[in-house]
Amino acid sequence: MRPGGESTGSTSLSWDAGALRKGGRLHAYMRLVRIEHTIFSLPFAYVGALLSGYPFTLADAILMAAAVVGLRLAGMAYNNIADLDIDRLNPRTMRRPLVVGAVTMREAWAIVALGSAIYFASAALLNKYALLLSPLVLAIALTYPHAKRIHPLPHLHLGVVLGSVVFGGAVAASGDEASSLAEVLRSVPWLYVAAVSLWVAGFDTIYSIMDIDFDRNHGLKSIPAAIGEKGALAASLAMHAASIALFAMGVEAYDLGAIATASTALTASVIILVQTMAWLGRVKESFNLNLAVPILIGIGIIIDTLQHKLRFFSDG
């Protein structure tokens, strides 16, 4: 049903990004962890690293990527484990790999362990502050699936999980040279942590509209379940508007150039289109379009920052 009514009976049985659509063990594993989300989140780590103001090596960049992959493997696999009882009951999620048995519980736990090991090893190899803060970031990721059982803002919790990728990138870059934890924390581009967190929370609110009836019937908490479809879309719009404003403020705050300015403007246009698709009830199209945001904002800032650094060294 389109915004304006409260019933979403037809929507609640709709599309699932985590559904298993074809056979094969590898495909089942990839659906379990939604590997494309891991790839698309990587630019945020480099945004955090570059905007920290500290130099980092190619080896550091590889370790950052490994840490993000490990964190996402552990987080997504555990999310499926924690939600198995819910996913078995929800008609929309009945085709997920763990539900249909394409991935066993033992295999899912093995992925959690493997991802955690990769994550902690990468943090240890980066610097002492990355290792010190790594349990906090992993805890945020692993507690996300329990949030909807406790409070109506699990979307913000998920947003912080993605925002922590920006945070982690800054810690990875600054840790070797920073003299204290306080200096490391000051190096974090908090505007972008907040912008990414609100962008993700805004879209997860849209995505949760599909489960509004199921969540209400089973006592699960979310913004749509609390205030209805129309209210949830309005809340999502507010979060995305704030996210756009923070991305724009970041260009000014970090003295970014034309490329970052253009990519930020394009990102804003995409988020507006994501909202348009959502208000029209086209959640799948909105979801797929949303995946362009980290590429646009991330690559724009990365190219802009690297270009500035190269020009500085050339002038020097």
Side-chain angles (χ1 to χ4, degrees):
M1 185 173 182
R2 298 292 184 268
E6 293 302 315
S7 174
T8 53
S10 61
T11 307
S12 64
L13 304 179
S14 191
W15 177 74
D16 177 24
L20 187 64
R21 295 178 177 82
K22 60 183 179 181
R25 302 289 288 177
L26 180 59
H27 181 73
Y29 295 142
M30 291 175 68
R31 284 297 83 213
L32 184 80
V33 300
R34 300 189 202 177
I35 192 65
E36 71 278 8
H37 295 191
T38 303
I39 295 169
F40 283 113
S41 65
L42 280 176
F44 290 140
Y46 299 126
V47 166
L50 287 166
L51 295 183
S52 73
Y54 287 87
F56 60 94
T57 66
L58 177 59
D60 291 333
I62 293 171
L63 287 171
M64 288 178 209
V68 171
V69 170
L71 180 66
R72 291 284 297 178
L73 288 176
M76 291 302 298
Y78 181 73
N79 182 61
N80 279 269
I81 292 168
D83 280 353
L84 182 58
D85 58 333
I86 298 171
D87 291 341
R88 281 174 171 161
L89 296 174
N90 189 342
R92 190 180 67 82
T93 58
M94 283 182 173
R95 293 171 58 201
R96 292 188 174 178
L98 207 56
V99 177
V100 300
V103 176
T104 68
M105 186 66 81
R106 179 177 294 181
E107 289 170 331
W109 276 114
I111 293 172
V112 174
L114 175 62
S116 299
I118 293 171
Y119 171 66
F120 283 125
S122 301
L125 290 170
L126 278 163
N127 59 70
K128 65 180 180 181
Y129 294 113
L131 181 59
L132 176 67
L133 293 167
S134 59
L136 173 63
V137 176
L138 183 62
I140 293 170
L142 295 187
T143 53
Y144 160 66
H146 302 287
K148 58 182 166 287
R149 296 167 170 86
I150 301 170
H151 61 78
L153 300 174
H155 328 287
L156 286 172
H157 193 138
L158 181 63
V160 173
V161 173
L162 268 292
S164 71
V165 175
V166 181
F167 171 84
V171 173
S174 64
D176 277 334
E177 297 193 17
S179 60
S180 67
L181 179 59
E183 185 178 335
V184 171
L185 296 178
R186 283 195 298 270
S187 77
V188 175
W190 293 106
L191 279 174
Y192 282 94
V193 172
V196 170
S197 298
L198 286 170
W199 160 65
V200 173
F203 186 76
D204 191 59
T205 300
I206 295 170
Y207 194 63
S208 295
I209 290 173
M210 293 190 293
D211 292 325
I212 187 171
D213 292 339
F214 181 86
D215 288 350
R216 284 173 170 172
N217 292 336
H218 292 81
L220 299 174
K221 297 175 175 62
S222 69
I223 290 176
I227 61 177
E229 181 176 353
K230 189 173 182 180
L233 285 169
S236 170
L237 180 61
M239 285 186 277
H240 275 168
S243 177
I244 290 171
L246 289 167
F247 279 133
M249 289 169 62
V251 173
E252 177 82 16
Y254 292 95
D255 196 25
L256 298 174
I259 295 174
T261 300
S263 72
T264 300
L266 188 55
T267 298
S269 299
V270 169
I271 293 175
I272 291 169
L273 189 53
V274 164
Q275 280 288 325
T276 302
M277 293 294 100
W279 281 83
L280 292 173
R282 296 165 62 181
V283 176
K284 181 178 180 180
E285 292 90 339
S286 180
F287 181 91
N288 291 331
L289 182 62
N290 200 55
L291 292 176
V293 169
I295 300 299
L296 291 173
I297 197 73
I299 298 302
I301 292 173
I302 290 168
I303 293 174
D304 190 284
T305 307
L306 290 177
Q307 182 187 56
H308 178 76
K309 290 179 182 294
L310 289 172
R311 186 181 301 116
F312 174 81
F313 286 118
S314 176
D315 293 343

